[in-house]
Amino acid sequence: MFRIISGKWKAKKIAAPKNFEVRPTTDFAKEALFSILENKYDMQSISVLDLFAGIGSITFEFASRGCQNVTSVELNPKHTAFINTTASELDMALQINVQRGDVFDWLKKFRNKKSFEIVFSDAPFEMEEKKYHELISLVLNNKYLKENGVLIVEHQSRMKLDHPNLIDTRKYGNVSFSFFEPNKEDNQEL
């Protein structure tokens, strides 16, 4: 169960089926994250890529706040079906584009096709650190971020993601968000 913090569907509780193994971002961490993002971006005019979307906690938060262009990538077919069904029920189907697939394969397949202001990744916490670095490289080196964009990686607080593009890490209990700026134009190739 998670709830939408703000926007059109503020306080709306969304219950996933009991057999789903998910770890939605806590309300406390989500509220802090969106406070940061709303100070920098106009939610109605940005595009968002939500990687490892799970059951859509972050996707629905962006859509509820007026974001018209959210692409959610998730491998589990039950989860993608849940996001699609919930998006329809909440009248968000036109705002949310659900893509079923492995995030790493998806990022390789769609290189240099579309850029986003915000790329958010909530990979499984048990993912190896080297896979986090692969993910960061795939996003930063393939023009997934617009010039004013940011990559946000949610991870366990005990993991420290050291990278030249790292601009900030915010800790909320055992969850941290690390923020990465786009590559400068002269080093965009892989």
Side-chain angles (χ1 to χ4, degrees):
M1 165 95 63
F2 67 88
R3 74 183 176 100
I4 295 174
I5 306 285
S6 187
K8 179 179 178 185
W9 290 98
K10 182 178 181 169
K12 170 78 174 155
K13 290 185 174 155
I14 298 177
K18 298 253 185 284
N19 60 345
F20 280 23
E21 283 188 39
V22 290
R23 176 194 42 79
T25 304
T26 65
D27 284 0
F28 172 63
K30 203 164 38 169
E31 206 159 340
L33 173 67
F34 277 88
S35 174
I36 294 166
L37 294 177
E38 285 187 316
N39 280 320
K40 182 172 179 176
Y41 297 102
D42 170 13
M43 290 292 149
Q44 278 98 44
S45 64
I46 62 169
S47 56
V48 174
L49 177 60
D50 184 6
L51 303 172
F52 303 98
I55 55 171
S57 170
I58 296 294
T59 291
F60 294 127
E61 196 66 50
F62 276 110
S64 178
R65 292 166 190 254
C67 186
Q68 299 300 309
N69 186 346
V70 184
T71 301
S72 304
V73 182
E74 170 58 44
L75 181 59
N76 187 317
K78 289 179 182 162
H79 295 182
T80 56
F82 179 81
I83 294 171
N84 277 322
T85 302
T86 306
S88 291
E89 289 169 3
L90 299 180
D91 200 25
M92 295 177 174
L94 296 176
Q95 295 168 262
I96 298 171
N97 171 15
V98 181
Q99 301 273 309
R100 192 175 89 71
D102 174 83
V103 165
F104 292 93
D105 293 342
W106 191 92
L107 287 170
K108 289 171 188 167
K109 183 177 178 184
F110 292 101
R111 291 176 207 240
N112 305 319
K113 298 265 194 288
K114 183 175 179 188
S115 296
F116 303 85
E117 277 82 10
I118 298 172
V119 176
F120 180 84
S121 168
D122 183 9
F125 271 8
E126 63 275 5
M127 190 167 86
E128 294 177 33
E129 188 172 342
K130 70 178 187 182
K131 293 297 278 182
Y132 277 96
H133 287 285
E134 180 185 343
L135 175 85
I136 293 163
S137 291
L138 278 168
V139 171
L140 296 180
N141 295 335
N142 292 292
K143 296 188 174 89
Y144 281 105
L145 284 183
K146 292 186 177 175
E147 208 173 292
N148 67 333
V150 65
L151 164 63
I152 305 156
V153 177
E154 182 174 339
H155 58 90
Q156 288 187 32
S157 291
R158 61 187 153 103
M159 182 187 296
K160 305 293 180 235
L161 293 174
D162 193 30
H163 191 280
N165 296 49
L166 179 67
I167 48 176
D168 195 8
T169 298
R170 301 285 179 98
K171 182 179 177 204
Y172 304 97
N174 69 340
V175 169
S176 286
F177 297 114
S178 288
F179 297 79
F180 300 85
E181 65 185 355
N183 286 339
K184 303 299 175 237
E185 275 308 308
D186 56 353
N187 60 355
Q188 283 269 332
E189 68 281 339
L190 204 111

